[in-house]
Amino acid sequence: MTNFIDSPFIRDFTKITLQLYEHGWDERNGGNVSYRLTEGEVSQYEDVQKISRNIPIDFDGADLAGMYFLVTGTGKYFKNIIEFPNRDVGLVRIAEDGKSVDIVWGFNDGGKPTSEFPTHLMGHATRLKVNPNQRVIMHCHPTNLIAMTFTFPLDEKEITKTLWKMQTESIVVFPDGVGIVPWMVPGNTEIGKVTSDKLKEFSSVIWPQHGIFASGSSIDEAFGLIETIEKAAEIYNIIQATGGQIQQTITDQQLANLARAFGVKPKKGYLEV
Ligand code: 2HA
Ligand code: ZN
């Protein structure tokens, strides 16, 4: 029997937290990731059957009772997770009353889940209603996207269409567009409520002058969504930095053609065709 630390879940999780760091999107203790695991996945590992601690959460997670989440710890640095997974990451199970979590693996220095955990849980609950395969919530600080939130109007339709037009791939990866919430203090249930409300219709949400909050059916999907949005923002910023003169772009009709060819549905009312 292998130990959980040697499982593919820890391998995939720690690989991505290192990549997020290496992209420069999770400086210091910036960012947080949570990954829903099933009972069947967890029960293969004998060393996750025991509850080491129970800690209260600032959120009523009754809808998620019994679910398991692998989650980054509060104050932990993404650059270190690969080296100290059982210290910087924990596997938690939402307790029956939904008001606390049982730590069943990790956080072995007395740590606890990220300050954004209530927001993650609200996000999981919302996205599970949209997509039964929902597994991952990923928050990070992508440089170009943050920069764009200083110079671009914070309008969902405008920013989505601009990001769609920055590269052919965009509309195929995020046909549902990108949501935006107002600037808010992070790490509390208020930003959680506003963000999860947006996640009803968008798979990712921009936190202006802060970063992005993205969801997905897998670690690769959530990461790929962020990568694609950030790449589009980078192209936008390069265009601005090189004079901003657009000679040609992808038209709304071309975006519609792309969506049809790839079998995706662009957000209703966004394309003028
Ligand atoms: O975990 O990124 O938004 C640190 C953050 C909070
Ligand atoms: Zn953050």
Side-chain angles (χ1 to χ4, degrees), residues 29-32 116 139 141 186 210:
N29 64 322
N32 26 77
E116 305 289 6
H139 164 63
H141 305 158
H210 181 155

Side-chain angles (χ1 to χ4, degrees), residues 16 34 46 86 106 109 193 218 265 268:
I16 225 70
S34 62
E46 244 167 49
N86 57 8
D109 66 344
K193 281 187 205 132
S218 66
K265 274 200 173 57
K268 234 177 146 176

